[in-house]
């Protein structure tokens, strides 16, 4: 029995699953990051920091899987009528946004891990697996890395909002069904 054929302009089921799983995970980890940054030092804040680190390392691993899948399985081309209707700047924005988002999928968690290392707080995955430090413990270095992590996280969030806005524009303004390429199968 062979696997069902994917229409030529749809993403593969695994690419779709990874897209939505990472979208939800990133939304969750960003929300928790915002919330916990406003808390005073407490056991609850420590629990949230630990959860945040676990989630981010999981996101980093899922991002690596997603990138490997994408490199091995080229994304479907834009349907010709959509591509023909898009000005060159929109096509460049389409490709640039995706490239920057992929880069930030790795940069943001690695900066967070580097900050944790420089702050002298080890990353212990699920409370049992200690991960190596990316930087030596150095308070001055930690104070340099922390805002860089925040700026990169906000940049990723802004790109995600832009990505969603573009998808909604295609769905409701252009009515070109481009969103269907990434919609889970029914």
């Amino acid at each position: 029995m062979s696997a069902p054929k994917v229409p030529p302009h749809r993403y593969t089921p695994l690419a779709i699953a990874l897209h939505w799983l990472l979208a939800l995970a990133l939304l969750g980890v960003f929300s928790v990051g915002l919330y916990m940054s406003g808390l005073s030092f407490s056991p609850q804040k420590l629990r949230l920091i630990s959860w945040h680190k676990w989630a981010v390392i999981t996101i980093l691993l899922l991002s690596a899987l997603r990138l490997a899948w994408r490199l091995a399985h080229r994304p479907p081309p834009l349907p010709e009528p959509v591509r023909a209707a898009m000005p060159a700047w929109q096509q460049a924005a389409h490709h640039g946004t995706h490239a920057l988002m992929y880069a930030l999928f790795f940069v943001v968690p690695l900066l967070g891990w580097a900050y944790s290392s420089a702050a002298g707080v080890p990353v212990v995955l699920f409370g049992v697996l200690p991960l190596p430090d990316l930087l030596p413990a150095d308070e001055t270095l930690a104070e340099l890395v922390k805002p860089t992590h925040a700026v990169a996280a906000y940049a990723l969030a802004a790109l995600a909002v832009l990505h969603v806005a573009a998808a909604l524009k295609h769905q409701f303004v252009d009515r070109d069904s481009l969103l269907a390429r990434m919609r889970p199968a029914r």
Side-chain angles (χ1 to χ4, degrees), residues 65-89:
L65 174 62
R66 184 173 183 194
L67 179 61
W69 183 260
R70 181 156 183 166
L71 292 173
H73 300 84
R74 292 186 54 86
L78 289 171
E80 184 53 35
V82 173
R83 193 197 59 71
M86 285 176 74
W89 72 267

Side-chain angles (χ1 to χ4, degrees), residues 5-172:
K5 283 281 199 192
V6 175
H9 294 293
R10 275 188 60 79
Y11 284 84
T12 64
L14 182 58
I16 293 169
L18 287 171
H19 174 273
W20 291 109
L21 179 61
L22 282 169
L24 291 172
L26 288 167
L27 179 63
V29 80
F30 185 75
S31 299
V32 168
L34 282 177
Y35 176 72
M36 73 182 189
S37 67
L39 294 177
S40 57
F41 189 78
S42 66
Q44 179 189 13
K45 183 171 184 168
L46 291 175
R47 277 192 301 277
L48 288 174
I49 289 171
S50 291
W51 180 88
H52 184 80
K53 289 179 184 182
W54 302 344
V56 166
I57 296 301
T58 303
I59 287 170
L60 186 61
L61 295 172
L62 285 171
S63 295
L65 174 62
R66 184 173 183 194
L67 179 61
W69 183 260
R70 181 156 183 166
L71 292 173
H73 300 84
R74 292 186 54 86
L78 289 171
E80 184 53 35
V82 173
R83 193 197 59 71
M86 285 176 74
W89 72 267
Q90 281 186 5
Q91 291 182 42
H94 165 79
H95 294 295
T97 300
H98 280 97
L100 282 171
M101 284 178 34
Y102 268 92
L104 288 170
F105 289 161
F106 294 93
V107 169
V108 174
L110 289 172
L111 282 170
W113 187 351
Y115 164 65
S116 191
S117 297
V121 182
V123 176
V124 182
L125 190 58
F126 305 119
V128 294
L129 180 63
L131 301 179
D133 288 331
L134 295 183
L135 295 173
D138 180 328
E139 190 175 319
T140 303
L141 186 57
E143 291 306 312
L144 291 172
V145 175
K146 184 178 182 178
T148 308
H149 171 64
V151 167
Y154 280 110
L156 179 55
L159 285 172
V161 167
L162 179 65
H163 178 71
V164 169
L168 294 174
K169 177 218 176 252
H170 278 281
Q171 184 67 25
F172 298 111

